[in-house]
Amino acid sequence: MTDCIRLAHGSGGRLTHRLIRDIFRRHFGDDVPLDDSFIARSPGERIAVTTDAYVVDPIFFPGGDIGRLAVSGTVNDLAVQGAMPVYIAVAFVLEEGLPLNELEQVVQSMAATCAGVGARIVAGDTKVVPRGKGDRLFVATSGLGVVLSPWPLSGANARAGDLVLVSGPVGEHEMAILVSRSGIELGGEFRSDVAPVLDLARALWESCEVHAMRDPTRGGLATALNEIARQSQVAIEVDEGQVPVRSEILGACELLGFDPLYLACEGRLIAVVPEAEAERALSVMRSQPLGRDAAVIGRVLPEPKGRVYLRTSVGGRRILDLLSGEQLPRIC
Amino acid sequence: MTDCIRLAHGSGGRLTHRLIRDIFRRHFGDDVPLDDSFIARSPGERIAVTTDAYVVDPIFFPGGDIGRLAVSGTVNDLAVQGAMPVYIAVAFVLEEGLPLNELEQVVQSMAATCAGVGARIVAGDTKVVPRGKGDRLFVATSGLGVVLSPWPLSGANARAGDLVLVSGPVGEHEMAILVSRSGIELGGEFRSDVAPVLDLARALWESCEVHAMRDPTRGGLATALNEIARQSQVAIEVDEGQVPVRSEILGACELLGFDPLYLACEGRLIAVVPEAEAERALSVMRSQPLGRDAAVIGRVLPEPKGRVYLRTSVGGRRILDLLSGEQLPRIC
């Protein structure tokens, strides 16, 4: 019989301590004291703080798992603001009955993703809910980073005349989840792009002037651009033909009725840079493993404020708005 | 019809933005930019980082709610390490169907508790899971504090000869949850003690030498003392007759078969201080509203390492161990 999470794993007693020792400290490292909070020197003068909850179903999917997703998501939220991740805190909500080896796989994956970006997991917590009151494993990760970008990166800093770049093909994460959840046989490979975009972001802010960066997760490219347009009080015009989308993703979208511009990415970066910097930014992105397919996809206009337009391949122009309902339930 | 959380509230689209505007920013303040992470000056040289997930059922209970619980828990985890809370990050997992006014009540309660300790909520995230895949509302809070205590507070710093103090009667939070969940009519009032213990902790570290502090939450006083005994490699002997427990709690425990020493508190503080400081520490605690019933409850001994003993009222002595199963499912 597989060992599974029991309610007593959340009681604070023996089983909780065993979980901490055999799974968390084994993979996250046992050099952090077992105290209520972690004490350290501040990593620098300017810091960045972020948090996210992850509820993806399934928790293991082609290209990744909820652990890699959670750490990448937190790292990316710091990276797009010009910060290097330093400390990460992890809070689990486990459903009674979750196999311990699945938890361990997720924990291993988190540890590996952290190690890959030089961050350290320094605080954690685990709660257990009765069967049927959760969904296997939820995790909330929080990150503390040190700001290294010389530019004040914010979604509010896009300016008319800037160009918009994206680091690679969009829609891969959400389509991988969709396909893996539906069990539909579509032909072609659908793998999540989940990855930390820290190297990409850092290469950019170190080599050219950047006004805004964002990772187009939930709601995809269209939503992220709408957020930038609203925060910066500008318009953005996207050239549909320039947005990189793999043909398998396009095909699957047509078949299933989705718009790839609204599908979540988990390893892509949007950068808004002055026009004079765009060529350099593009070549910097393309010199990075995750940015080989980077493209200039659009331009920032002064008006109408807060709007995103799509110039379509056939020459039309339509509003690319926030979704008013949803394409899909919870995938990121 | 009451407005409820729908899956689309988690889509990143219009409904997500409305939730952020009408509930989160309305109560948490709208002066934080809508970026992926929050950028600020570091609050100081030495910082403290903590995280916790909260899954209490019911989410509203006599004496508090999950919002006050989450913020108090995070504040307390910082306070017992000698840190003042500065920034708090909040990640929600909401179940489809949760009434919006309940969410708003929780958010208001978090905002009020934060304001009470001078901390600020600077980052957040919300995910929605389908009906039956969650339990109304889970929340994970993370805190960043600045260390102000002149003493290095850690569960590893208790020393033989130290005395152990507790700030007030134990078991109140868990019994309130239990009674409110069971629907049993017990006579007497059962209210959670949930509260930030920051003022109490700060008054202590400012006025006397303190070796260790801890808030006895999940697993109660007995578990917290076991953790200190193990971390510090000492023994602790507790005098049962000195542990403050309200008579209603004792009665309910006898009736329901629980040991109050293992019931969670959410507004109590354990302090381990040198014997010479104990009298001062006690009077400092008693001068605080939350510490009026503080008591010296035990003593740190050199051996046997990692053990906690209870000297019972009738003169016996027994091991007070970690629970090997659980008394109760998830209440804190």
Side-chain angles (χ1 to χ4, degrees), chain A residues 14 35-38 40 42 45 47 49-50 53 81 125-127 130 142 154-155 218 321 323 330, chain B residues 14 35-38 40 42 45 47 49-50 53 81 125-127 130 142 154-155 218 321 323 330:
Chain A
R14 264 178 211 297
D35 277 316
D36 290 306
S37 51
F38 171 75
S42 171
E45 261 296 288
I47 57 169
V49 175
T50 190
Q81 306 273 139
D125 184 43
T126 306
K127 295 287 154 62
S142 304
S154 165
R218 177 165 63 169
D321 210 345
L323 287 183
R330 68 188 185 104
Chain B
R14 263 177 212 298
D35 276 317
D36 291 306
S37 51
F38 172 76
S42 171
E45 263 296 289
I47 57 169
V49 176
T50 189
Q81 306 274 138
D125 185 42
T126 307
K127 295 290 155 59
S142 304
S154 165
R218 180 164 62 171
D321 210 346
L323 286 182
R330 65 188 185 103

mmCIF file of all heavy atoms in Angstrom, chain A residues 14 35-38 40 42 45 47 49-50 53 81 125-127 130 142 154-155 218 321 323 330, chain B residues 14 35-38 40 42 45 47 49-50 53 81 125-127 130 142 154-155 218 321 323 330:
data_model
loop_
_atom_site.group_PDB
_atom_site.id
_atom_site.type_symbol
_atom_site.label_atom_id
_atom_site.label_comp_id
_atom_site.label_asym_id
_atom_site.label_seq_id
_atom_site.Cartn_x
_atom_site.Cartn_y
_atom_site.Cartn_z
ATOM 1 N N ARG A 14 3.715 14.044 15.858
ATOM 2 C CA ARG A 14 4.764 13.202 15.309
ATOM 3 C C ARG A 14 4.794 13.125 13.783
ATOM 4 O O ARG A 14 5.843 13.211 13.168
ATOM 5 C CB ARG A 14 4.569 11.768 15.801
ATOM 6 C CG ARG A 14 5.375 11.457 16.976
ATOM 7 C CD ARG A 14 5.136 10.053 17.489
ATOM 8 N NE ARG A 14 5.344 10.131 18.913
ATOM 9 C CZ ARG A 14 6.518 10.449 19.452
ATOM 10 N NH1 ARG A 14 7.585 10.660 18.698
ATOM 11 N NH2 ARG A 14 6.646 10.543 20.752
ATOM 12 N N ASP A 35 12.412 27.258 13.306
ATOM 13 C CA ASP A 35 11.720 28.291 14.063
ATOM 14 C C ASP A 35 10.477 28.766 13.323
ATOM 15 O O ASP A 35 10.197 28.328 12.215
ATOM 16 C CB ASP A 35 12.674 29.462 14.341
ATOM 17 C CG ASP A 35 13.553 29.197 15.554
ATOM 18 O OD1 ASP A 35 13.024 28.708 16.561
ATOM 19 O OD2 ASP A 35 14.765 29.474 15.485
ATOM 20 N N ASP A 36 9.746 29.696 13.957
ATOM 21 C CA ASP A 36 8.497 30.166 13.369
ATOM 22 C C ASP A 36 8.737 31.080 12.178
ATOM 23 O O ASP A 36 7.896 31.230 11.313
ATOM 24 C CB ASP A 36 7.673 30.903 14.425
ATOM 25 C CG ASP A 36 7.143 29.943 15.472
ATOM 26 O OD1 ASP A 36 6.495 28.964 15.082
ATOM 27 O OD2 ASP A 36 7.391 30.157 16.659
ATOM 28 N N SER A 37 9.880 31.738 12.181
ATOM 29 C CA SER A 37 10.223 32.487 10.980
ATOM 30 C C SER A 37 11.733 32.419 10.768
ATOM 31 O O SER A 37 12.478 31.985 11.642
ATOM 32 C CB SER A 37 9.710 33.928 11.048
ATOM 33 O OG SER A 37 10.093 34.557 12.230
ATOM 34 N N PHE A 38 12.142 32.807 9.586
ATOM 35 C CA PHE A 38 13.540 32.691 9.197
ATOM 36 C C PHE A 38 14.178 34.074 9.324
ATOM 37 O O PHE A 38 13.643 35.061 8.808
ATOM 38 C CB PHE A 38 13.607 32.210 7.751
ATOM 39 C CG PHE A 38 14.993 32.246 7.160
ATOM 40 C CD1 PHE A 38 15.937 31.303 7.525
ATOM 41 C CD2 PHE A 38 15.346 33.228 6.246
ATOM 42 C CE1 PHE A 38 17.223 31.332 6.977
ATOM 43 C CE2 PHE A 38 16.625 33.262 5.684
ATOM 44 C CZ PHE A 38 17.559 32.309 6.061
ATOM 45 N N ALA A 40 17.414 36.608 8.730
ATOM 46 C CA ALA A 40 18.585 36.747 7.859
ATOM 47 C C ALA A 40 18.933 38.221 7.677
ATOM 48 O O ALA A 40 18.135 39.099 8.021
ATOM 49 C CB ALA A 40 18.292 36.129 6.494
ATOM 50 N N SER A 42 19.119 41.398 5.408
ATOM 51 C CA SER A 42 18.360 41.813 4.240
ATOM 52 C C SER A 42 19.244 41.641 3.001
ATOM 53 O O SER A 42 20.429 41.947 3.040
ATOM 54 C CB SER A 42 17.939 43.272 4.389
ATOM 55 O OG SER A 42 17.394 43.722 3.174
ATOM 56 N N GLU A 45 19.280 46.840 -0.477
ATOM 57 C CA GLU A 45 18.577 48.092 -0.176
ATOM 58 C C GLU A 45 17.143 48.078 -0.680
ATOM 59 O O GLU A 45 16.229 48.472 0.012
ATOM 60 C CB GLU A 45 19.313 49.250 -0.889
ATOM 61 C CG GLU A 45 20.253 50.025 -0.011
ATOM 62 C CD GLU A 45 19.523 50.742 1.102
ATOM 63 O OE1 GLU A 45 18.823 51.725 0.800
ATOM 64 O OE2 GLU A 45 19.631 50.322 2.273
ATOM 65 N N ILE A 47 14.034 45.881 -2.190
ATOM 66 C CA ILE A 47 13.549 44.509 -2.235
ATOM 67 C C ILE A 47 12.232 44.426 -3.005
ATOM 68 O O ILE A 47 11.566 45.428 -3.236
ATOM 69 C CB ILE A 47 13.358 43.939 -0.818
ATOM 70 C CG1 ILE A 47 12.392 44.831 -0.016
ATOM 71 C CG2 ILE A 47 14.692 43.816 -0.088
ATOM 72 C CD1 ILE A 47 11.949 44.220 1.289
ATOM 73 N N VAL A 49 8.620 41.916 -3.165
ATOM 74 C CA VAL A 49 7.823 40.923 -2.442
ATOM 75 C C VAL A 49 6.682 40.458 -3.353
ATOM 76 O O VAL A 49 6.033 41.284 -3.989
ATOM 77 C CB VAL A 49 7.209 41.546 -1.166
ATOM 78 C CG1 VAL A 49 6.285 40.564 -0.463
ATOM 79 C CG2 VAL A 49 8.291 42.039 -0.225
ATOM 80 N N THR A 50 6.455 39.146 -3.426
ATOM 81 C CA THR A 50 5.357 38.646 -4.250
ATOM 82 C C THR A 50 4.771 37.377 -3.650
ATOM 83 O O THR A 50 5.439 36.689 -2.863
ATOM 84 C CB THR A 50 5.818 38.395 -5.693
ATOM 85 O OG1 THR A 50 4.676 38.125 -6.518
ATOM 86 C CG2 THR A 50 6.757 37.204 -5.786
ATOM 87 N N ALA A 53 -0.914 31.726 -5.340
ATOM 88 C CA ALA A 53 -1.436 30.401 -5.009
ATOM 89 C C ALA A 53 -1.503 29.586 -6.300
ATOM 90 O O ALA A 53 -1.763 30.137 -7.371
ATOM 91 C CB ALA A 53 -2.818 30.523 -4.385
ATOM 92 N N GLN A 81 10.008 42.438 -12.460
ATOM 93 C CA GLN A 81 10.138 43.733 -11.787
ATOM 94 C C GLN A 81 11.607 44.079 -11.566
ATOM 95 O O GLN A 81 11.933 44.983 -10.802
ATOM 96 C CB GLN A 81 9.427 43.711 -10.437
ATOM 97 C CG GLN A 81 8.000 43.288 -10.489
ATOM 98 C CD GLN A 81 7.039 44.422 -10.753
ATOM 99 O OE1 GLN A 81 6.104 44.247 -11.504
ATOM 100 N NE2 GLN A 81 7.265 45.574 -10.168
ATOM 101 N N ASP A 125 5.028 25.757 5.515
ATOM 102 C CA ASP A 125 3.930 25.349 6.382
ATOM 103 C C ASP A 125 3.116 24.318 5.618
ATOM 104 O O ASP A 125 3.071 24.329 4.389
ATOM 105 C CB ASP A 125 3.042 26.551 6.742
ATOM 106 C CG ASP A 125 1.937 26.170 7.715
ATOM 107 O OD1 ASP A 125 2.225 25.424 8.671
ATOM 108 O OD2 ASP A 125 0.790 26.612 7.534
ATOM 109 N N THR A 126 2.483 23.402 6.355
ATOM 110 C CA THR A 126 1.647 22.381 5.731
ATOM 111 C C THR A 126 0.365 22.237 6.509
ATOM 112 O O THR A 126 0.395 22.073 7.718
ATOM 113 C CB THR A 126 2.359 21.005 5.757
ATOM 114 O OG1 THR A 126 3.634 21.161 5.171
ATOM 115 C CG2 THR A 126 1.580 19.990 4.958
ATOM 116 N N LYS A 127 -0.751 22.300 5.819
ATOM 117 C CA LYS A 127 -2.027 21.994 6.437
ATOM 118 C C LYS A 127 -2.650 20.839 5.664
ATOM 119 O O LYS A 127 -2.404 20.689 4.458
ATOM 120 C CB LYS A 127 -2.959 23.211 6.410
ATOM 121 C CG LYS A 127 -2.447 24.375 7.243
ATOM 122 C CD LYS A 127 -2.557 24.146 8.742
ATOM 123 C CE LYS A 127 -1.543 24.933 9.563
ATOM 124 N NZ LYS A 127 -1.679 26.373 9.450
ATOM 125 N N PRO A 130 -9.601 17.397 5.057
ATOM 126 C CA PRO A 130 -10.215 16.081 4.861
ATOM 127 C C PRO A 130 -10.473 15.810 3.381
ATOM 128 O O PRO A 130 -10.659 16.735 2.589
ATOM 129 C CB PRO A 130 -11.545 16.178 5.613
ATOM 130 C CG PRO A 130 -11.417 17.347 6.529
ATOM 131 C CD PRO A 130 -10.453 18.283 5.877
ATOM 132 N N SER A 142 5.688 32.378 -1.858
ATOM 133 C CA SER A 142 5.966 33.800 -1.735
ATOM 134 C C SER A 142 7.451 33.991 -1.959
ATOM 135 O O SER A 142 8.238 33.112 -1.629
ATOM 136 C CB SER A 142 5.601 34.303 -0.349
ATOM 137 O OG SER A 142 4.262 33.997 -0.089
ATOM 138 N N SER A 154 7.900 48.667 -14.361
ATOM 139 C CA SER A 154 6.524 48.597 -13.860
ATOM 140 C C SER A 154 5.589 48.586 -15.051
ATOM 141 O O SER A 154 5.883 49.178 -16.094
ATOM 142 C CB SER A 154 6.209 49.810 -12.984
ATOM 143 O OG SER A 154 4.810 49.913 -12.807
ATOM 144 N N GLY A 155 4.454 47.913 -14.873
ATOM 145 C CA GLY A 155 3.437 47.923 -15.913
ATOM 146 C C GLY A 155 2.944 49.340 -16.188
ATOM 147 O O GLY A 155 2.298 49.584 -17.206
ATOM 148 N N ARG A 218 -1.948 33.711 -16.365
ATOM 149 C CA ARG A 218 -3.409 33.602 -16.419
ATOM 150 C C ARG A 218 -4.017 34.691 -17.307
ATOM 151 O O ARG A 218 -3.795 35.870 -17.091
ATOM 152 C CB ARG A 218 -3.893 33.751 -14.975
ATOM 153 C CG ARG A 218 -5.346 33.742 -14.787
ATOM 154 C CD ARG A 218 -5.649 33.519 -13.319
ATOM 155 N NE ARG A 218 -5.163 34.589 -12.448
ATOM 156 C CZ ARG A 218 -5.514 34.695 -11.159
ATOM 157 N NH1 ARG A 218 -6.287 33.795 -10.621
ATOM 158 N NH2 ARG A 218 -5.058 35.674 -10.422
ATOM 159 N N ASP A 321 -9.795 42.630 -25.840
ATOM 160 C CA ASP A 321 -10.232 43.085 -24.518
ATOM 161 C C ASP A 321 -9.892 42.057 -23.445
ATOM 162 O O ASP A 321 -9.449 40.948 -23.745
ATOM 163 C CB ASP A 321 -11.756 43.297 -24.559
ATOM 164 C CG ASP A 321 -12.196 44.393 -23.606
ATOM 165 O OD1 ASP A 321 -11.387 44.771 -22.726
ATOM 166 O OD2 ASP A 321 -13.335 44.858 -23.741
ATOM 167 N N LEU A 323 -11.102 39.192 -21.008
ATOM 168 C CA LEU A 323 -12.208 38.253 -21.110
ATOM 169 C C LEU A 323 -13.286 38.652 -20.113
ATOM 170 O O LEU A 323 -12.984 39.031 -18.987
ATOM 171 C CB LEU A 323 -11.738 36.834 -20.763
ATOM 172 C CG LEU A 323 -10.880 36.144 -21.808
ATOM 173 C CD1 LEU A 323 -10.568 34.729 -21.331
ATOM 174 C CD2 LEU A 323 -11.585 36.080 -23.155
ATOM 175 N N ARG A 330 -9.412 27.282 -14.018
ATOM 176 C CA ARG A 330 -8.147 27.109 -13.312
ATOM 177 C C ARG A 330 -7.130 26.186 -13.971
ATOM 178 O O ARG A 330 -7.197 24.996 -13.833
ATOM 179 C CB ARG A 330 -8.432 26.574 -11.912
ATOM 180 C CG ARG A 330 -8.976 25.162 -11.905
ATOM 181 C CD ARG A 330 -9.397 24.841 -10.479
ATOM 182 N NE ARG A 330 -9.807 23.460 -10.417
ATOM 183 C CZ ARG A 330 -9.086 22.500 -9.903
ATOM 184 N NH1 ARG A 330 -7.946 22.756 -9.326
ATOM 185 N NH2 ARG A 330 -9.501 21.276 -9.920
ATOM 186 N N ARG B 14 -12.166 40.216 -16.626
ATOM 187 C CA ARG B 14 -12.953 41.285 -16.019
ATOM 188 C C ARG B 14 -13.344 41.037 -14.572
ATOM 189 O O ARG B 14 -13.245 41.917 -13.720
ATOM 190 C CB ARG B 14 -14.257 41.441 -16.806
ATOM 191 C CG ARG B 14 -14.209 42.514 -17.793
ATOM 192 C CD ARG B 14 -15.480 42.602 -18.620
ATOM 193 N NE ARG B 14 -15.078 43.064 -19.925
ATOM 194 C CZ ARG B 14 -14.502 44.240 -20.121
ATOM 195 N NH1 ARG B 14 -14.276 45.071 -19.122
ATOM 196 N NH2 ARG B 14 -14.118 44.595 -21.334
ATOM 197 N N ASP B 35 1.307 45.666 -9.882
ATOM 198 C CA ASP B 35 2.371 44.949 -10.567
ATOM 199 C C ASP B 35 2.489 43.526 -10.035
ATOM 200 O O ASP B 35 1.788 43.132 -9.119
ATOM 201 C CB ASP B 35 3.687 45.711 -10.410
ATOM 202 C CG ASP B 35 3.831 46.827 -11.452
ATOM 203 O OD1 ASP B 35 3.498 46.580 -12.622
ATOM 204 O OD2 ASP B 35 4.264 47.926 -11.083
ATOM 205 N N ASP B 36 3.417 42.756 -10.652
ATOM 206 C CA ASP B 36 3.565 41.361 -10.269
ATOM 207 C C ASP B 36 4.217 41.198 -8.909
ATOM 208 O O ASP B 36 4.050 40.201 -8.237
ATOM 209 C CB ASP B 36 4.381 40.618 -11.330
ATOM 210 C CG ASP B 36 3.595 40.483 -12.620
ATOM 211 O OD1 ASP B 36 2.474 39.970 -12.556
ATOM 212 O OD2 ASP B 36 4.092 40.908 -13.672
ATOM 213 N N SER B 37 5.011 42.181 -8.522
ATOM 214 C CA SER B 37 5.531 42.161 -7.163
ATOM 215 C C SER B 37 5.635 43.581 -6.648
ATOM 216 O O SER B 37 5.520 44.543 -7.407
ATOM 217 C CB SER B 37 6.869 41.416 -7.081
ATOM 218 O OG SER B 37 7.783 41.873 -8.022
ATOM 219 N N PHE B 38 5.799 43.678 -5.343
ATOM 220 C CA PHE B 38 5.814 44.971 -4.685
ATOM 221 C C PHE B 38 7.267 45.356 -4.410
ATOM 222 O O PHE B 38 8.030 44.573 -3.864
ATOM 223 C CB PHE B 38 5.033 44.861 -3.371
ATOM 224 C CG PHE B 38 5.140 46.079 -2.498
ATOM 225 C CD1 PHE B 38 4.433 47.238 -2.805
ATOM 226 C CD2 PHE B 38 5.945 46.064 -1.364
ATOM 227 C CE1 PHE B 38 4.523 48.353 -1.992
ATOM 228 C CE2 PHE B 38 6.039 47.180 -0.548
ATOM 229 C CZ PHE B 38 5.335 48.326 -0.862
ATOM 230 N N ALA B 40 10.054 47.906 -2.676
ATOM 231 C CA ALA B 40 10.164 48.850 -1.552
ATOM 232 C C ALA B 40 11.599 48.867 -1.038
ATOM 233 O O ALA B 40 12.410 48.012 -1.404
ATOM 234 C CB ALA B 40 9.228 48.436 -0.427
ATOM 235 N N SER B 42 14.205 48.039 1.752
ATOM 236 C CA SER B 42 14.247 47.017 2.786
ATOM 237 C C SER B 42 13.938 47.672 4.135
ATOM 238 O O SER B 42 14.414 48.772 4.411
ATOM 239 C CB SER B 42 15.624 46.370 2.813
ATOM 240 O OG SER B 42 15.713 45.529 3.940
ATOM 241 N N GLU B 45 18.214 46.103 8.416
ATOM 242 C CA GLU B 45 19.372 45.244 8.208
ATOM 243 C C GLU B 45 19.043 43.761 8.364
ATOM 244 O O GLU B 45 19.430 42.941 7.562
ATOM 245 C CB GLU B 45 20.447 45.599 9.248
ATOM 246 C CG GLU B 45 21.515 46.534 8.763
ATOM 247 C CD GLU B 45 22.337 45.924 7.650
ATOM 248 O OE1 GLU B 45 23.123 44.999 7.946
ATOM 249 O OE2 GLU B 45 22.182 46.345 6.492
ATOM 250 N N ILE B 47 16.145 40.914 8.746
ATOM 251 C CA ILE B 47 14.739 40.705 8.439
ATOM 252 C C ILE B 47 14.293 39.306 8.868
ATOM 253 O O ILE B 47 15.125 38.434 9.130
ATOM 254 C CB ILE B 47 14.467 40.886 6.935
ATOM 255 C CG1 ILE B 47 15.360 39.933 6.121
ATOM 256 C CG2 ILE B 47 14.695 42.331 6.508
ATOM 257 C CD1 ILE B 47 14.987 39.845 4.676
ATOM 258 N N VAL B 49 11.326 36.245 7.782
ATOM 259 C CA VAL B 49 10.404 35.793 6.729
ATOM 260 C C VAL B 49 9.590 34.623 7.268
ATOM 261 O O VAL B 49 10.166 33.719 7.885
ATOM 262 C CB VAL B 49 11.202 35.323 5.485
ATOM 263 C CG1 VAL B 49 10.269 34.751 4.427
ATOM 264 C CG2 VAL B 49 12.029 36.463 4.908
ATOM 265 N N THR B 50 8.283 34.640 7.043
ATOM 266 C CA THR B 50 7.461 33.514 7.501
ATOM 267 C C THR B 50 6.282 33.304 6.572
ATOM 268 O O THR B 50 5.888 34.218 5.843
ATOM 269 C CB THR B 50 6.975 33.741 8.948
ATOM 270 O OG1 THR B 50 6.353 32.547 9.428
ATOM 271 C CG2 THR B 50 5.952 34.869 9.025
ATOM 272 N N ALA B 53 -0.361 28.548 5.938
ATOM 273 C CA ALA B 53 -1.649 28.354 5.262
ATOM 274 C C ALA B 53 -2.723 28.204 6.335
ATOM 275 O O ALA B 53 -2.464 27.641 7.400
ATOM 276 C CB ALA B 53 -1.597 27.107 4.390
ATOM 277 N N GLN B 81 10.000 35.795 17.070
ATOM 278 C CA GLN B 81 11.420 35.803 16.696
ATOM 279 C C GLN B 81 12.015 37.205 16.878
ATOM 280 O O GLN B 81 13.101 37.483 16.390
ATOM 281 C CB GLN B 81 11.590 35.378 15.245
ATOM 282 C CG GLN B 81 10.965 34.074 14.892
ATOM 283 C CD GLN B 81 11.862 32.892 15.166
ATOM 284 O OE1 GLN B 81 11.401 31.885 15.665
ATOM 285 N NE2 GLN B 81 13.148 33.003 14.858
ATOM 286 N N ASP B 125 -2.906 37.374 -4.278
ATOM 287 C CA ASP B 125 -3.278 36.552 -5.416
ATOM 288 C C ASP B 125 -4.559 35.812 -5.050
ATOM 289 O O ASP B 125 -4.816 35.538 -3.882
ATOM 290 C CB ASP B 125 -2.173 35.535 -5.728
ATOM 291 C CG ASP B 125 -2.482 34.734 -6.978
ATOM 292 O OD1 ASP B 125 -2.952 35.324 -7.975
ATOM 293 O OD2 ASP B 125 -2.257 33.499 -6.970
ATOM 294 N N THR B 126 -5.366 35.509 -6.063
ATOM 295 C CA THR B 126 -6.612 34.786 -5.831
ATOM 296 C C THR B 126 -6.768 33.705 -6.884
ATOM 297 O O THR B 126 -6.657 33.984 -8.075
ATOM 298 C CB THR B 126 -7.831 35.727 -5.952
ATOM 299 O OG1 THR B 126 -7.615 36.836 -5.094
ATOM 300 C CG2 THR B 126 -9.097 35.017 -5.542
ATOM 301 N N LYS B 127 -7.021 32.492 -6.453
ATOM 302 C CA LYS B 127 -7.371 31.424 -7.369
ATOM 303 C C LYS B 127 -8.740 30.903 -6.969
ATOM 304 O O LYS B 127 -9.113 30.968 -5.793
ATOM 305 C CB LYS B 127 -6.332 30.289 -7.321
ATOM 306 C CG LYS B 127 -4.956 30.718 -7.804
ATOM 307 C CD LYS B 127 -4.883 30.998 -9.304
ATOM 308 C CE LYS B 127 -3.781 31.952 -9.717
ATOM 309 N NZ LYS B 127 -2.438 31.524 -9.375
ATOM 310 N N PRO B 130 -13.197 24.727 -8.546
ATOM 311 C CA PRO B 130 -14.604 24.355 -8.730
ATOM 312 C C PRO B 130 -15.226 23.889 -7.412
ATOM 313 O O PRO B 130 -14.529 23.386 -6.531
ATOM 314 C CB PRO B 130 -14.548 23.192 -9.718
ATOM 315 C CG PRO B 130 -13.209 23.260 -10.358
ATOM 316 C CD PRO B 130 -12.299 23.896 -9.368
ATOM 317 N N SER B 142 1.978 35.440 4.142
ATOM 318 C CA SER B 142 3.420 35.460 4.345
ATOM 319 C C SER B 142 3.772 36.818 4.913
ATOM 320 O O SER B 142 3.112 37.811 4.603
ATOM 321 C CB SER B 142 4.153 35.272 3.026
ATOM 322 O OG SER B 142 3.712 34.077 2.425
ATOM 323 N N SER B 154 15.289 32.241 19.589
ATOM 324 C CA SER B 154 15.147 31.024 18.796
ATOM 325 C C SER B 154 14.741 29.907 19.732
ATOM 326 O O SER B 154 15.124 29.898 20.910
ATOM 327 C CB SER B 154 16.462 30.662 18.106
ATOM 328 O OG SER B 154 16.398 29.323 17.641
ATOM 329 N N GLY B 155 13.967 28.971 19.202
ATOM 330 C CA GLY B 155 13.605 27.796 19.984
ATOM 331 C C GLY B 155 14.844 27.007 20.395
ATOM 332 O O GLY B 155 14.762 26.134 21.259
ATOM 333 N N ARG B 218 -0.994 25.181 16.630
ATOM 334 C CA ARG B 218 -1.309 23.779 16.342
ATOM 335 C C ARG B 218 -0.545 22.826 17.270
ATOM 336 O O ARG B 218 0.683 22.855 17.319
ATOM 337 C CB ARG B 218 -0.906 23.538 14.889
ATOM 338 C CG ARG B 218 -1.127 22.174 14.381
ATOM 339 C CD ARG B 218 -1.070 22.184 12.881
ATOM 340 N NE ARG B 218 0.227 22.613 12.327
ATOM 341 C CZ ARG B 218 0.542 22.522 11.046
ATOM 342 N NH1 ARG B 218 -0.325 22.040 10.189
ATOM 343 N NH2 ARG B 218 1.710 22.922 10.604
ATOM 344 N N ASP B 321 4.419 14.175 25.654
ATOM 345 C CA ASP B 321 5.080 13.917 24.373
ATOM 346 C C ASP B 321 4.364 14.633 23.226
ATOM 347 O O ASP B 321 3.290 15.197 23.406
ATOM 348 C CB ASP B 321 5.064 12.410 24.116
ATOM 349 C CG ASP B 321 6.257 11.972 23.294
ATOM 350 O OD1 ASP B 321 6.939 12.829 22.708
ATOM 351 O OD2 ASP B 321 6.499 10.752 23.240
ATOM 352 N N LEU B 323 1.965 14.469 20.105
ATOM 353 C CA LEU B 323 0.868 13.560 19.781
ATOM 354 C C LEU B 323 1.307 12.632 18.668
ATOM 355 O O LEU B 323 1.968 13.054 17.711
ATOM 356 C CB LEU B 323 -0.355 14.348 19.305
ATOM 357 C CG LEU B 323 -1.138 15.103 20.372
ATOM 358 C CD1 LEU B 323 -2.340 15.768 19.712
ATOM 359 C CD2 LEU B 323 -1.602 14.166 21.474
ATOM 360 N N ARG B 330 -7.876 19.509 11.584
ATOM 361 C CA ARG B 330 -7.643 20.899 11.172
ATOM 362 C C ARG B 330 -8.520 21.946 11.846
ATOM 363 O O ARG B 330 -9.646 22.154 11.462
ATOM 364 C CB ARG B 330 -7.867 21.016 9.666
ATOM 365 C CG ARG B 330 -9.297 20.766 9.242
ATOM 366 C CD ARG B 330 -9.341 20.726 7.735
ATOM 367 N NE ARG B 330 -10.696 20.611 7.297
ATOM 368 C CZ ARG B 330 -11.422 21.591 6.802
ATOM 369 N NH1 ARG B 330 -10.893 22.750 6.618
ATOM 370 N NH2 ARG B 330 -12.649 21.400 6.450
#
